[in-house]
Amino acid sequence: METDCTSDDLPVNGVTAPLPAGTRLLHIGPHKTGTTAIQGALFAARDLLPEHGVVFPAHSRHPMEAALAACARPAMIGDTAPTEKHWSRLLEQVGATGGKTSVISSEFFADAEDDDTIARIVEQLGGERVHVLVTLRPLAKIMPSQWQQYVQNGLRMGYDNWLTHMLRKAPYEQPNPSFWRRHRHDRLVERWARAVGAERITVVVVDDRDREGLMRTFEQLLGLPENLLQPVPDAANRSLTLAETEMLRNLNKEFRGNGLPDELYSKLVRNGAVMHMKNACSPSPEDVKILTPEWAVEAAAEIGARMAGRIGDLGVRVIGDPGLLTAVPKVPAPDGIPAPRISPEAAARALYGALAAAAESPVRHTSPAKARTVHQTSSKELMRVLGHRCLKKLRRR
């Protein structure tokens, strides 16, 4: 259903009226709300969009560095720091679209936390031409996905402990202050409404039962033919299983405990071991998923109900059923759940991914006079030496 619409925005026979031609549609996520699927579909259709008056002004599926630079946020651990050049380049691409409708999508725009930053982003993208799109899913479904994503960025805290910090330990900012900046959805919508006005914000409640519903909504908003946007398979975006996440979390502990540099983590772990494992191994029905305990599911639903109520009061257009944000999904009983065990194949793929990444930056052997065998070197010292050698090579490149 659609609520809080003006008469001009009301759907006809279930179809949402398209935005005015020349609109600059800014999709700000937040994370884990279908952003990757939409970005992949738009990028795949980028050559077909202009004949319908729409442009996807980016050289990649996701202009993450540009969004991070615009919001003055740091890169993921070990990645190259975003610069103003990234943002300026995207602005040039948007400006080159002229009077056509353009769509800019990055969940990292949700990380903008102050009014001045948001106002500057809106003004630089086109001021009154900007229409902000927010996609939402229930918190209870976002939390496990967001936790394992944080683990992929170096988090060492277990899921239950993380939930306790996010839901029960005020001010709820540790260990990941970005979580509530992104996922206190009512405040997110309110921040952007102060910059563009409620009339230029659309909130789409994603229904996971309709896997392509979000794409059809984008098509209607952009005035595109139905089914022009199609899902693009992306194994690299799949969520990790509980066993895979726990393996990575324990690796994070070893990594930090041995003082290895962040650049090495980005190269060998996230973009090496994890990426290759996700691309090469598909989860099986026997794999244990990340399960959220009942107390946390209920707490998330209560917060979702409050957020849905406040969003409704803001006067923005809401497409979809806000009741989905307040639903309490059933939590499987803990009895009979097998212990999470990573498959030998997944472990081997992860190890190979790290080795392949390391092979791209080979290290020189030490001189014979200083050489020692592995058996003569402690594991802690060996990890530190290998880490710094790989980092030295990375910096040379």
Side-chain angles (χ1 to χ4, degrees):
M1 70 178 185
E2 185 166 337
T3 61
D4 293 309
C5 298
T6 66
S7 58
D8 293 336
D9 291 328
L10 287 172
V12 179
N13 296 325
V15 177
T16 301
L19 297 167
T23 294
R24 288 175 176 170
L25 182 60
L26 177 61
H27 177 211
I28 66 171
H31 294 66
K32 305 303 177 183
T33 60
T35 53
T36 299
I38 283 296
Q39 291 156 4
L42 287 167
F43 189 66
R46 66 192 182 281
D47 293 335
L48 302 175
L49 297 177
E51 64 184 89
H52 304 287
V54 179
V55 180
F56 185 68
H59 290 314
S60 64
R61 174 191 64 80
H62 178 199
M64 179 175 65
E65 293 84 0
L68 289 170
C71 299
R73 306 303 303 171
M76 297 182 72
I77 178 175
D79 285 359
T80 302
T83 68
E84 190 63 26
K85 289 183 179 179
H86 292 105
W87 177 233
S88 297
R89 191 177 304 122
L90 180 61
L91 289 177
E92 290 174 1
Q93 293 169 324
V94 173
T97 63
K100 291 182 180 293
T101 296
S102 55
V103 53
I104 305 99
S105 176
S106 174
E107 54 270 38
F108 285 96
F109 283 114
D111 284 352
E113 58 182 326
D114 64 85
D115 288 358
D116 289 343
T117 297
I118 293 173
R120 175 178 53 78
I121 291 171
V122 170
E123 182 61 29
Q124 290 177 328
L125 282 174
E128 294 184 355
R129 294 177 62 179
V130 175
H131 189 100
V132 175
L133 178 64
V134 184
T135 44
L136 299 182
R137 295 176 68 236
L139 269 179
K141 294 186 176 181
I142 287 174
M143 296 189 90
S145 297
Q146 189 71 92
W147 169 71
Q148 60 92 22
Q149 193 68 52
Y150 282 130
V151 172
Q152 292 183 55
N153 197 38
L155 180 67
R156 290 162 286 169
M157 184 179 288
Y159 188 43
D160 286 351
N161 195 13
W162 183 81
L163 288 171
T164 298
H165 278 73
M166 292 293 100
L167 295 169
R168 287 180 170 176
K169 291 192 175 184
Y172 318 107
E173 295 179 349
Q174 298 301 326
N176 302 112
S178 64
F179 180 80
W180 287 118
R181 186 188 309 126
R182 299 167 177 173
H183 296 298
R184 184 70 202 210
H185 300 147
D186 51 345
R187 296 173 187 169
L188 173 66
V189 173
E190 187 175 24
R191 285 197 300 273
W192 285 84
R194 287 196 292 267
V196 301
E199 70 279 3
R200 287 195 282 131
I201 288 192
T202 296
V203 174
V204 178
V205 180
V206 179
D207 188 344
D208 290 338
R209 296 168 298 184
D210 183 1
R211 292 188 176 274
E212 296 187 15
L214 184 57
M215 294 193 187
R216 305 291 83 82
T217 298
F218 262 78
E219 289 170 345
Q220 292 171 18
L221 288 170
L222 295 170
L224 298 173
E226 187 174 3
N227 295 318
L228 179 67
L229 299 181
Q230 291 294 322
V232 177
D234 185 6
N237 188 52
R238 76 164 176 87
S239 293
L240 299 179
T241 66
L242 178 58
E244 290 170 341
T245 310
E246 283 297 307
M247 177 191 73
L248 178 58
R249 188 173 70 85
N250 282 281
L251 176 59
N252 291 345
K253 290 181 179 180
E254 291 293 323
F255 194 94
R256 284 299 186 197
N258 284 281
L260 297 178
D262 290 347
E263 293 91 331
L264 198 63
Y265 186 91
S266 173
K267 177 73 175 180
L268 300 188
V269 180
R270 186 173 59 248
N271 295 311
V274 175
M275 189 62 67
H276 188 74
M277 180 175 65
K278 287 166 52 170
N279 278 319
C281 299
S282 298
S284 69
E286 292 75 27
D287 286 322
V288 179
K289 296 181 179 179
I290 301 169
L291 298 178
T292 305
E294 187 175 358
W295 70 265
V297 169
E298 293 176 351
E302 290 177 5
I303 297 171
R306 293 198 296 271
M307 293 192 300
R310 285 196 63 196
I311 290 172
D313 292 340
L314 291 173
V316 301
R317 176 167 63 170
V318 178
I319 299 175
D321 181 7
L324 293 174
L325 304 176
T326 71
V328 181
K330 293 182 179 180
V331 179
D335 296 338
I337 295 178
R341 296 185 183 280
I342 192 166
S343 70
E345 179 188 7
R349 294 290 187 181
L351 179 59
Y352 174 80
L355 293 173
E360 293 181 4
S361 301
V363 297
R364 296 176 181 175
H365 295 290
T366 57
S367 62
K370 296 182 179 180
R372 287 186 292 169
T373 67
V374 171
H375 298 290
Q376 295 173 316
T377 309
S378 69
S379 59
K380 185 173 183 177
E381 185 180 357
L382 181 62
M383 289 186 69
R384 183 177 291 112
V385 169
L386 289 174
H388 285 291
R389 286 182 180 176
C390 288
L391 177 60
K392 188 175 181 181
K393 273 292 182 182
L394 286 174
R395 286 173 173 167
R396 285 178 179 172
R397 294 185 66 189

